[in-house]
Amino acid sequence: MAWWTVARDGWMAVAIALATVVATPALAQEPPPIGGPSDEPMPGFMQPGSGPLHLLPAPGSPSTAPLPEAATPYAPSTAPAVETKPLATVAPRETATLALTARLTPDGPPLGAGVVWRVFGEAQGPDGSRELVAERHGGSADFVLKPGGYFVYCGFGYAGTTEHVVVGTGLKAESIILNAGGVRLAAVTGKDRPPLDSNDLSFDIFAQELDSHGEPKAVALDVAPGQIVRLPAQVYNVIANYGDANARTTADIDVKAGKLTDITLTEKAAKITLKLVSSEGGEAIANTRWSILTQAGDLVTTGVGAFPSFVLAEGDYTVIANHEDGQFQRVVSVVSGENADVEVLAKGSETLTN
């Protein structure tokens, strides 16, 4: 089974072209750069990678090989900085100005939007925390501070870093290098087919390393198609979830620093809509309970209603309809990309091949 990935976001890119690639179950290809949240404060000062992490079971599908390079330079558009925490009043003769810029790579342009800055005092309190002196969102930022040492957190989506800075009097300029990029995901059911509906599709992104329980570390969950996710530059495993039954596929993606990578996965699946009828072409019978099983007899999913729809991985299934005291069934062959309406006759059983 194969997957596909789509990405989108509201940022403007420094570069023009975006490359798009299609991944099969065993190989994915990559294109353009960055996106994801980073606004969650942590005890003390923020640590690198400030996005919330959640743990998931290890993916059942085997991961694919890393994608080849095919990315586009990227940096978000300029936006005014928003000061969210007032600075403490400082006597004019005791001030220092700390001018901060963030870059994805050492030779990349300064980020003009999407950056979270937090400046923490150097001293730790009894509980180990540090005072948040100032905070600002946007691009480059200037902070007026008392001379002394500070910890500066720079966050960009799920990428972030903390650096120790000492300021005296006058102006001190610092450029923070995030070594980050981005990914934008999409999926299709075959060549020349349109992208899958975002209502039925989502992506989970996992790091290559394992947590203390031996499970893959979840980096970003329930990512919508087209959403730009900002990530530290490294290899990740992506799981595409099409529907809520068994249509899932995986691919390894290589996020490049300063690049936006567009990934399209191919899902070998289709959607079927069921109805129980007393005769061919008849009205659907309400209050029908449905079960879908593999040919080996394993339950895949269930539902209730006159017209339930299910997204299923390509293959053969036994569809069972229960209404009042009757049970009726039909064998259905699901072909990737070929959505179908399936009728089950309320008498005996039959076999259908799409």
Side-chain angles (χ1 to χ4, degrees):
M1 173 169 58
W3 296 5
W4 59 288
T5 314
V6 173
R8 73 170 184 75
D9 194 277
W11 310 336
M12 294 180 62
V14 168
I16 300 174
L18 297 178
T20 302
V21 287
V22 176
T24 64
L27 179 63
Q29 296 185 1
E30 81 179 50
I34 296 188
S38 79
D39 261 0
E40 297 300 320
M42 296 177 67
F45 52 85
M46 295 294 290
Q47 300 296 326
S50 61
L53 299 184
H54 306 277
L55 302 181
L56 289 185
S61 304
S63 61
T64 63
L67 299 170
E69 294 188 22
T72 299
Y74 161 85
S77 60
T78 301
V82 178
E83 187 175 314
T84 57
K85 177 179 172 56
L87 299 178
T89 301
V90 182
R93 294 183 180 179
E94 299 176 353
T95 61
T97 299
L98 178 61
L100 299 172
T101 58
R103 303 172 191 270
L104 300 180
T105 60
D107 58 351
L111 296 177
V115 181
V116 176
W117 297 103
R118 294 190 178 100
V119 179
F120 294 85
E122 194 173 40
Q124 284 185 294
D127 60 354
S129 64
R130 290 179 167 86
E131 178 189 5
L132 177 61
V133 176
E135 178 177 355
R136 184 171 289 188
H137 297 198
S140 299
D142 293 346
F143 297 93
V144 179
L145 305 167
K146 293 180 180 180
Y150 298 88
F151 285 99
V152 175
Y153 169 75
C154 176
F156 188 62
Y158 290 97
T161 186
T162 300
E163 294 194 9
H164 182 250
V165 176
V166 177
V167 297
T169 57
L171 175 66
K172 183 179 180 65
E174 289 285 337
S175 182
I176 307 298
I177 308 304
L178 289 162
N179 189 35
V183 64
R184 183 164 49 194
L185 304 169
V188 295
T189 54
K191 185 179 180 180
D192 300 326
R193 292 186 181 274
L196 292 175
D197 189 342
S198 60
N199 292 329
D200 296 319
L201 182 68
S202 67
F203 300 91
D204 297 326
I205 302 175
F206 294 85
Q208 294 290 296
E209 64 265 25
L210 304 178
D211 61 22
S212 59
H213 301 287
E215 304 290 345
K217 286 185 178 180
V219 175
L221 305 179
D222 198 25
V223 175
Q227 175 184 341
I228 295 178
V229 185
R230 308 161 189 163
L231 297 165
Q234 62 186 58
V235 176
Y236 298 87
N237 180 255
V238 172
I239 298 178
N241 306 292
Y242 183 31
D244 55 8
N246 64 344
R248 304 176 73 209
T249 192
T250 68
D252 284 347
I253 63 172
D254 190 0
V255 174
K256 300 295 186 181
K259 306 292 183 179
L260 173 61
T261 301
D262 279 307
I263 304 295
T264 297
L265 302 181
T266 300
E267 284 279 9
K268 295 293 185 181
K271 181 184 292 187
I272 62 172
T273 301
L274 307 175
K275 67 175 182 176
L276 180 65
V277 296
S278 56
S279 61
E280 291 186 9
E283 294 293 325
I285 299 174
N287 300 319
T288 301
R289 302 183 306 280
W290 299 91
S291 299
I292 299 178
L293 288 70
T294 66
Q295 290 301 281
D298 298 322
L299 180 65
V300 176
T301 187
T302 62
V304 178
F307 299 97
S309 293
F310 303 94
V311 175
L312 300 173
E314 191 173 61
D316 296 330
Y317 300 88
T318 299
V319 176
I320 300 175
N322 290 277
H323 179 70
E324 296 180 345
D325 295 330
Q327 184 178 90
F328 315 95
Q329 69 181 47
R330 185 172 189 171
V331 175
V332 177
S333 181
V334 175
V335 178
S336 180
E338 297 185 9
N339 299 339
D341 295 328
V342 176
E343 292 183 346
V344 177
L345 292 177
K347 51 185 177 182
S349 61
E350 55 183 316
T351 300
L352 168 70
T353 301
N354 287 339

